[in-house]
Amino acid sequence: MQRIRPWLGIVLSLLLIALCITPQAQSLLSLPQYQRLVVGESSSISLPLPEKIKDKIQMQVISPSRSVFAAPQEPPVTISSNSSGYEILALKPGKVNVKLKLLGYIPLKSMAVETLPTKRVVAGGHSIGVILQSKGIMVVGYAPVSDSEGKKAYPARDQGVEIGDIIYQVDGQPLHSESELARIIDEKKSVLLGIKRGSKKLSITVSSTYCPETNRCRIGLYVRDGVVGVGTLTFWEPDSKIFAALGHVIIDADTKQQIDVLQGKIVSASIQGIKPGKPGQPGEKIGVFNGEGEIEGKIIKNSYSGIFGKTGDEITNPLALYTMEVAYAHQVNEGQAQILTVVNGDDIEAFDVVVEKVFPERQDGKSMIVRVVDQRLLNLTGGIIQGMSGSPIIQNGKIIGAITHVFLNDPTRGYGIFMDNMLSEIPASLSPWSKVSTNFRDA
């Protein structure tokens, strides 16, 4: 008997390996470990197994089961299979663990199922002007200071100030604007600069040099305290009055660093002209700001998924008179879609596009590849151009995301961001959906 046991173990191991490499076992093992459903949505899990084996497999929904399964009994709840497989129905937001078991007790597969609330927003497409002031002053270059003898000096650079640094204090006092920095430097021979360099905070003392050309003291820096530009509104939520736009972070054009928001706002903008895009030459919308237009809002956050804030008044869209349902990443498909954007004045128009590829796992602003197929838009703009960032993408009557980037060598194509990623950036204190009960308890 003792001689048989080692061989028995080897035989059982080989049998297990053989079973695992069969197509039927592979189909079972390849089932996703995590699945998302929207409330009201159902999912059917089909197992291509022989009926004799399938009859011996049970699916159990572990506590709290009523998030996904209508059953009066206490969990665990056993789901019976039908002709299409095991069907799971999302009833309310929550998270459950679903297990497949052989003969009711041998575990075969475990899956986490998350059910998500239905969300609705007013679709954007409006052209907006963006005015953003940074926290502190960003160093974007070195400016030589010529003294009375014509010699060039770089006082700040020589003391260790670098391009991309944020000057947030002068002599211990908060700094708010370029003009304020220039005035303080001109009044003093030496200043103590409080600097943020990435995650570090530094203190650097810089002595100013008198410049006869400008008749004031300088430290030899080019600085910027904000940005101004044209973009597109993605959505507006009527209960909270939260807006989202652009679909990507605002960075400084010279340093390529994210701008930390001190204050900012969006206003209505009117498109006065178009510079078409060409391979290697991105196009752009040419617009003017309209402070008396429909849109005016305060920017609260500048993130990698766009800019977010609140408006005071209602925003409407003549192409979408009612709120539109939001599609989650798992609901986005390759195929026909439309974008909403402005190419003339302030009229929002819909243009045909194709979602060529979807990348469900990406958390950046490059979640899908979008190609413009609308001939009128191609004639006007050449495809995707600057100022179009944030244009909402509509598919099957739902808003699935927004345009974010253009392919430099092919302006007919670009990237889009999922609505999931944009909604996740809304501060919880402002989100209209943060009070929804989620029951996110792992079983």
Side-chain angles (χ1 to χ4, degrees):
M1 189 68 178
Q2 291 180 347
R3 293 179 180 180
I4 296 176
R5 284 179 180 173
W7 288 104
L8 183 61
I10 294 172
V11 170
L12 290 173
S13 298
L14 291 173
L15 181 61
L16 181 61
I17 293 171
L19 287 173
C20 288
I21 62 176
T22 62
Q24 293 86 356
Q26 286 294 311
S27 67
L28 180 63
L29 295 173
S30 63
L31 289 174
Q33 293 185 333
Y34 174 74
Q35 188 172 14
R36 303 173 89 193
L37 296 172
V38 180
V39 170
E41 190 177 20
S42 64
S43 175
S44 182
I45 299 174
S46 178
L47 300 177
L49 299 172
E51 290 299 325
K52 290 183 179 180
I53 298 178
K54 192 184 297 185
D55 290 342
K56 294 178 174 57
I57 295 178
Q58 293 180 347
M59 175 176 281
Q60 290 185 347
V61 179
I62 312 301
S63 173
S65 62
R66 293 180 186 178
S67 297
V68 295
F69 191 73
Q73 66 264 40
E74 291 300 315
V77 176
T78 300
I79 300 178
S80 301
S81 63
N82 52 34
S83 57
S84 60
Y86 300 91
E87 188 171 0
I88 299 176
L89 174 64
L91 295 179
K92 64 179 182 179
K95 189 174 182 181
V96 296
N97 201 322
V98 175
K99 292 185 178 182
L100 287 171
K101 294 183 178 181
L102 180 64
L103 302 175
Y105 62 90
I106 301 175
L108 298 176
K109 183 74 177 182
S110 181
M111 297 170 54
V113 179
E114 182 180 358
T115 59
L116 307 163
T118 302
K119 299 178 180 180
R120 303 187 68 89
V121 296
V122 173
H126 314 67
S127 187
I128 56 171
V130 180
I131 306 163
L132 194 65
Q133 184 179 353
S134 61
K135 290 181 180 178
I137 311 301
M138 182 172 286
V139 177
V140 298
Y142 299 122
V145 182
S146 298
D147 60 18
S148 57
E149 297 179 359
K151 294 181 180 180
K152 293 182 178 180
Y154 297 86
R157 184 195 68 179
D158 294 344
Q159 293 302 314
V161 178
E162 298 180 0
I163 294 174
D165 284 350
I166 303 294
I167 305 173
Y168 69 97
Q169 281 185 348
V170 178
D171 293 335
Q173 299 300 313
L175 188 62
H176 301 105
S177 67
E178 299 175 46
S179 58
E180 184 181 7
L181 176 62
R183 177 183 58 79
I184 294 172
I185 290 172
D186 192 37
E187 292 174 352
K188 299 183 177 183
K189 292 182 179 180
S190 178
V191 290
L192 177 64
L193 303 179
I195 287 176
K196 287 177 65 178
R197 183 177 298 163
S199 59
K200 297 180 181 178
K201 287 189 176 182
L202 309 171
S203 295
I204 299 177
T205 300
V206 180
S207 297
S208 61
T209 298
Y210 177 74
C211 176
E213 294 178 7
T214 58
N215 194 31
R216 62 183 180 84
C217 292
R218 296 169 53 198
I219 60 173
L221 294 176
Y222 288 119
V223 295
R224 184 180 295 134
D225 60 10
V227 295
V228 176
V230 173
T232 303
L233 186 77
T234 304
F235 69 81
W236 180 77
E237 203 287 315
D239 292 331
S240 63
K241 296 187 177 180
I242 288 288
F243 71 82
L246 302 188
H248 62 71
V249 69
I250 297 179
I251 62 172
D252 182 83
D254 295 299
T255 65
K256 309 302 181 186
Q257 293 192 20
Q258 178 178 351
I259 294 177
D260 197 8
V261 179
L262 173 64
Q263 60 184 13
K265 65 178 181 178
I266 62 168
V267 296
S268 295
S270 177
I271 302 304
Q272 304 297 302
I274 296 288
K275 178 184 174 183
K278 300 177 181 178
Q281 298 179 4
E284 65 175 320
K285 293 182 180 183
I286 301 168
V288 295
F289 295 0
N290 178 13
E292 298 181 354
E294 176 190 17
I295 297 175
E296 183 174 356
K298 178 183 178 182
I299 298 173
I300 297 171
K301 187 176 184 181
N302 175 32
S303 80
Y304 284 95
S305 296
I307 58 172
F308 301 84
K310 292 193 73 170
T311 65
D313 297 320
E314 181 181 5
I315 295 178
T316 59
N317 186 336
L319 295 187
L321 297 177
Y322 305 99
T323 57
M324 185 175 292
E325 186 176 341
V326 169
Y328 291 87
H330 73 278
Q331 297 175 308
V332 179
N333 303 306
E334 295 177 3
Q336 297 295 320
Q338 288 187 318
I339 61 170
L340 306 183
T341 198
V342 176
V343 293
N344 182 39
D346 55 7
D347 295 329
I348 303 171
E349 298 183 64
F351 298 99
D352 292 332
V353 299
V354 172
V355 178
E356 289 191 328
K357 280 194 175 182
V358 179
F359 306 102
E361 302 304 320
R362 284 193 178 177
Q363 299 297 312
D364 56 12
K366 299 178 180 180
S367 310
M368 51 185 143
I369 295 177
V370 179
R371 178 167 57 91
V372 176
V373 295
D374 194 292
Q375 195 57 51
R376 178 167 174 265
L377 186 60
L378 290 171
N379 292 338
L380 284 170
T381 67
I384 298 169
I385 58 176
Q386 294 177 12
M388 206 175 280
S389 295
S391 299
I393 306 169
I394 312 299
Q395 186 180 67
N396 299 324
K398 298 179 181 180
I399 178 169
I400 65 173
I403 296 294
T404 57
H405 301 81
V406 61
F407 288 5
L408 187 60
N409 293 324
D410 181 8
T412 66
R413 301 164 74 227
Y415 284 113
I417 185 173
F418 290 139
M419 282 293 291
D420 294 49
N421 303 139
M422 296 191 74
L423 294 175
S424 68
E425 291 290 345
I426 298 177
S429 59
L430 301 176
S431 173
W433 303 289
S434 61
K435 296 180 181 179
V436 175
S437 175
T438 55
N439 293 324
F440 282 2
R441 188 179 75 191
D442 291 326

